[in-house]
């Protein structure tokens, strides 16, 4: 049985090793990025059985990515190749504080060709949970259709569905299309994990109450709103909203990947039978660990490291 299946575009990440504009930096470190692969790595380190649906190019970055995923014990049964298309890349600058700037090189990438025929063999009766984010449907019309196809199959099989909107406005042709598509995807989800500023765009309000109601009126039974330093708001159908405070961090190194760490904690909570409130504690913990590391996924903890961190810092 697969615990979690994820669909996403892995990217070769080039992180600047010097401060300054990306155009001025000459020294970069190569690693692996991609919101969903970050979540997959986090869950695999917590000993869950993971499969990753993706498509890479027949090129050195594609080869590097597949090897990196295998090293993280992520299943590659649904990894396919698109000969003639390239694997996507991303650059990220080094900042003293705030969010780093990123640049994408992913138009017409191998992943953008991922179609229904690449995923039709997946048997969802063998999958406990599918985690989807708002990035793949932004990549191309083909991937958008594939994501909806997967969600329908998952729904029919009774597989639990978690959704992190992960807004990437730069990848969409219009804001309206982004909002419409992501709210359509949310219709399938059991759990929705919006950031408060994302929800402001998707729902049109920063009121946690109204954001929660919007998604709970769809099919979700739980909405967890991420609110940076305020921590998270756990909104469960029929229960009062609970604010779960975040962990204090003395030095933020890099904010990218914090939301993915948060999702790891929520999914870990669900899969290990914790309450949603306790799942949010785990989520805040992993999110706070992530901001203390430069890479997108290097800091993701093992079970032992996570338990130690929570016990020491809570
Ligand atoms: O969540 C971290 C991601 O932003 C990063 O890994 C790259 O998935 C990515 C994307 O498409 O922006």
């Amino acid at each position: 049985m697969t615990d979690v299946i994820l669909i996403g575009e892995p990217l070769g990440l080039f992180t600047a090793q010097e401060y300054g504009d990306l155009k001025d930096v000459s020294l970069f470190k190569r690693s692996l990025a991609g919101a969903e692969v970050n979540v997959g790595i986090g869950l695999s380190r917590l000993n869950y059985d993971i499969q990753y649906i993706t498509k890479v190019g027949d090129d050195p970055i594609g080869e590097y990515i597949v090897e990196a995923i295998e090293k993280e014990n992520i299943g590659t049964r649904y990894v396919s190749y698109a000969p003639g298309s390239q694997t996507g890349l991303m650059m990220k600058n080094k900042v003293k504080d705030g969010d780093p700037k990123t640049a994408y090189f992913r138009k017409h990438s191998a992943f953008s060709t991922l179609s229904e025929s690449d995923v039709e063999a997946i048997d969802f009766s063998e999958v406990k949970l599918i985690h989807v984010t708002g990035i793949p449907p932004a990549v191309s019309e083909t991937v958008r259709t594939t994501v909806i196809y997967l969600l329908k199959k998952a729904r029919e099989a009774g597989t639990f569905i978690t959704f992190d909107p992960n807004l990437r406005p730069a990848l969409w042709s219009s804001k309206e299309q982004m909002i419409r598509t992501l709210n359509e995807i949310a219709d399938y989800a059991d759990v929705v994990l919006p950031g408060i500023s994302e929800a402001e765009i998707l729902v049109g309000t920063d009121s946690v109450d109204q954001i929660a109601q919007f998604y709970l009126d769809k099919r979700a039974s739980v909405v967890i709103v991420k609110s940076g330093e305020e921590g998270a708001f756990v909104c469960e159908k029929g229960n009062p909203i609970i604010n779960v405070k975040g962990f204090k961090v003395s030095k933020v190194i890099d904010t990218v990947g914090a939301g993915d760490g948060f999702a790891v904690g929520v999914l870990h909570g669900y899969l290990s039978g914790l309450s949603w409130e306790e799942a949010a504690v785990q989520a805040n913990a992993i999110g706070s660990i992530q901001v203390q590391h430069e890479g997108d996924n290097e800091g993701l903890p093992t079970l032992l490291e996570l338990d130690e961190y929570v016990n020491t810092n809570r």
Side-chain angles (χ1 to χ4, degrees):
M1 188 89 178
T2 298
D3 291 315
V4 179
I5 199 164
L6 306 108
I7 171 173
E9 176 163 35
L11 300 165
L13 170 62
F14 290 83
T15 306
Q17 298 300 294
E18 304 153 358
Y19 292 110
D21 278 355
L22 283 172
K23 71 173 175 48
D24 298 321
V25 173
S26 54
L27 192 62
F28 291 87
K29 182 180 155 201
R30 184 209 56 180
S31 61
L32 166 64
E36 305 77 11
V37 79
N38 294 340
V39 176
I41 291 172
L43 289 167
S44 177
R45 290 194 192 157
L46 299 177
N47 303 328
Y48 294 102
D49 192 89
I50 307 300
Q51 287 291 335
Y52 182 45
I53 308 165
T54 198
K55 201 165 189 174
V56 296
D58 196 1
D59 51 43
I61 292 292
E63 284 172 41
Y64 156 67
I65 286 171
V66 175
E67 277 181 21
I69 293 168
E70 282 169 345
K71 272 194 204 135
E72 292 287 349
N73 294 316
I74 291 179
T76 53
R77 203 181 309 153
Y78 307 116
V79 175
S80 51
Y81 289 86
S85 305
Q86 287 172 330
T87 311
L89 298 178
M90 175 175 151
M91 290 164 86
K92 181 165 80 170
N93 78 348
K94 186 176 164 92
V95 287
K96 293 216 167 73
D97 53 87
D99 294 337
K101 285 215 177 73
T102 55
Y104 291 131
F105 302 82
R106 67 196 299 184
K107 218 175 184 139
H108 308 302
S109 65
F111 180 76
S112 73
T113 69
L114 185 93
S115 66
E116 283 182 29
S117 61
D118 293 309
V119 300
E120 66 191 357
I122 299 172
D123 175 4
F124 276 94
S125 66
E126 292 292 311
V127 180
K128 285 188 198 158
L129 187 154
I130 177 168
H131 181 67
V132 173
T133 90
I135 301 173
V139 169
S140 71
E141 179 69 44
T142 312
V143 179
R144 207 153 34 247
T145 310
T146 307
V147 169
I148 300 286
Y149 169 79
L150 285 169
L151 287 169
K152 286 193 172 134
K153 275 185 74 167
R155 187 79 290 142
E156 277 163 27
T159 301
F160 200 73
I161 301 175
T162 53
F163 174 52
D164 181 345
N166 246 337
L167 300 196
R168 297 289 182 274
L171 298 178
W172 290 93
S173 51
S174 75
K175 188 175 167 189
E176 291 67 35
Q177 189 197 30
M178 173 177 81
I179 295 173
R180 192 177 357 97
T181 310
L182 297 188
N183 285 337
E184 184 190 333
I185 289 176
D187 281 338
Y188 292 88
D190 295 290
V191 175
V192 184
L193 303 173
I196 193 130
S197 50
E198 293 179 324
E200 229 177 311
I201 296 169
L202 293 171
V203 184
T205 172
D206 64 358
S207 147
V208 172
D209 253 324
Q210 287 176 32
I211 295 164
Q213 212 44 59
F214 178 82
Y215 291 113
L216 295 175
D217 282 347
K218 294 172 176 280
R219 64 156 295 121
S221 52
V222 179
V223 179
I224 306 185
V225 182
K226 296 167 271 184
S227 187
E229 284 178 6
E230 277 190 277
F233 292 89
V234 177
C235 318
E236 203 178 342
K237 213 173 226 158
N239 288 335
I241 294 175
I242 303 170
N243 178 210
V244 181
K245 295 280 176 228
F247 286 70
K248 292 236 173 331
V249 170
S250 52
K251 186 161 168 44
V252 173
I253 307 281
D254 183 346
T255 51
V256 180
D260 305 332
F262 187 91
V264 173
V266 172
L267 270 58
H268 167 51
Y270 171 75
L271 292 165
S272 58
L274 302 178
S275 67
W276 291 110
E277 184 179 353
E278 187 53 34
V281 173
Q282 305 289 316
N284 281 338
I286 305 179
S288 74
I289 295 173
Q290 280 282 79
V291 301
Q292 298 176 66
H293 289 84
E294 179 188 86
D296 265 37
N297 44 54
E298 280 91 342
L300 289 163
T302 61
L303 208 47
L304 197 67
E305 288 164 347
L306 176 60
D307 285 348
E308 255 176 46
Y309 183 85
V310 172
N311 291 336
T312 318
N313 298 288
R314 110 187 269 173

